[in-house]
Amino acid sequence: MDRPLILLVEDEAAQREVISYNLAAEGYRVREAHDGEEAMLLVDEDPPDLIILDWMMPRLSGIEVCRRLKVRRETQDIPVIMLSARSDEPDLVRGLETGADDYVVKPYSVAELMARVRAGLRRVRPLAAGAVMEFGDIRLDGETHRVTRAGKEVTLGPTEFRLLASLMEKPGRVLSREQLLDRVWGRGIHVETRTVDVHVGRLRKALCRHGGDDPLRTVRGVGYALG
């Protein structure tokens, strides 16, 4: 599965360099923006899994970027960690009410910020955080890469495992074939969309090998969902 993508929006070059270095060391992909307008362009170009956003920036403030992201359906679920030197309670409340998922006051330790990033990703990319996910009688352990259904072991190939994990991360939500290609095979990898159908078929067979209803739902002309 592709590594989580973090968008770092910070106008101070030294701060950007330190945070970016540590994010990369944690295994994340990182894109950088030096102001709010550039951040909005990058979000539209390649939506990140999480955004680290400085409050005080030229041209377009972090608080305004956050407000715009949270009113748009396609970006409202992206976790936003707001960075700010403002430590007064009214500022913290304003940041959270604007839609920020977390608020970190400067100066902060890098270790604390990385912990906040991991916590934010657990909500949207639990597999990337090594979490255990459950849906009905299906249980997927991201750390041991084991899947069981009704307590029985389900044997999956690496691609089917990543496919199931992607669907379990967003139960009930329809993911298009293109979205699944990005999440399972990785961005920039050329794979035919028909390949998704083949692997979904294999996943269905494996999940139903010991009985039980088919948990995968096909939405004709769109894609697939779990449940």
Side-chain angles (χ1 to χ4, degrees):
M1 182 169 289
D2 62 326
R3 295 174 295 146
L5 175 63
I6 311 296
L7 175 59
L8 171 60
V9 190
E10 168 65 75
D11 65 318
E12 295 183 20
Q15 287 284 323
R16 272 204 318 275
E17 184 176 352
V18 170
I19 298 173
S20 182
Y21 173 84
N22 282 275
L23 288 169
E26 291 270 338
Y28 305 126
R29 293 178 296 129
V30 185
R31 298 195 77 183
E32 299 179 14
H34 63 271
D35 62 49
E37 290 186 357
E38 183 183 15
M40 294 301 298
L41 291 173
L42 292 179
V43 168
D44 289 338
E45 183 180 297
D46 192 1
D49 294 296
L50 181 142
I51 300 172
I52 298 174
L53 181 62
D54 186 39
W55 180 315
M56 298 296 291
M57 291 187 297
R59 302 177 70 183
L60 192 65
S61 71
I63 204 81
E64 177 61 18
V65 171
C66 186
R67 187 194 67 77
R68 293 186 186 185
L69 291 171
K70 294 301 180 177
V71 297
R72 293 168 53 187
R73 183 178 177 183
E74 61 271 25
T75 56
Q76 63 184 5
D77 292 332
I78 300 175
V80 173
I81 298 176
M82 186 78 72
L83 305 180
S84 177
R86 300 168 179 258
S87 59
D88 293 340
E89 184 176 340
D91 292 319
L92 187 152
V93 171
R94 182 185 174 198
L96 295 176
E97 287 185 342
T98 304
D101 298 84
D102 203 349
Y103 190 98
V104 179
V105 178
K106 297 179 179 180
Y108 52 82
S109 74
V110 172
E112 178 194 359
L113 180 58
M114 294 302 109
R116 302 288 186 100
V117 168
R118 288 191 293 272
L121 285 172
R122 273 197 292 272
R123 181 167 66 83
V124 291
R125 296 290 302 275
L127 181 65
V132 172
M133 294 184 284
E134 295 185 352
F135 180 85
D137 59 357
I138 302 171
R139 186 176 191 273
L140 183 149
D141 190 321
E143 188 169 348
T144 63
H145 278 236
R146 292 184 63 210
V147 176
T148 59
R149 185 171 191 191
K152 296 181 179 179
E153 194 85 19
V154 177
T155 302
L156 298 177
T159 301
E160 286 72 37
F161 180 89
R162 294 193 300 269
L163 183 58
L164 176 61
S166 294
L167 293 167
M168 289 186 75
E169 285 181 341
K170 300 183 181 294
R173 183 178 299 183
V174 179
L175 296 179
S176 69
R177 290 172 176 82
E178 290 75 17
Q179 287 173 315
L180 288 170
L181 283 173
D182 280 347
R183 296 180 72 85
V184 177
W185 281 266
R187 293 178 176 89
I189 304 298
H190 179 69
V191 180
E192 295 293 333
T193 54
R194 170 64 182 159
T195 303
V196 176
D197 301 330
V198 173
H199 285 281
V200 167
R202 292 178 183 171
L203 177 58
R204 274 197 167 109
K205 185 176 180 180
L207 290 174
C208 298
R209 184 164 288 128
H210 301 298
D213 295 333
D214 181 3
L216 303 181
R217 177 164 53 95
T218 301
V219 181
R220 190 175 298 278
V222 182
Y224 299 96
L226 184 67

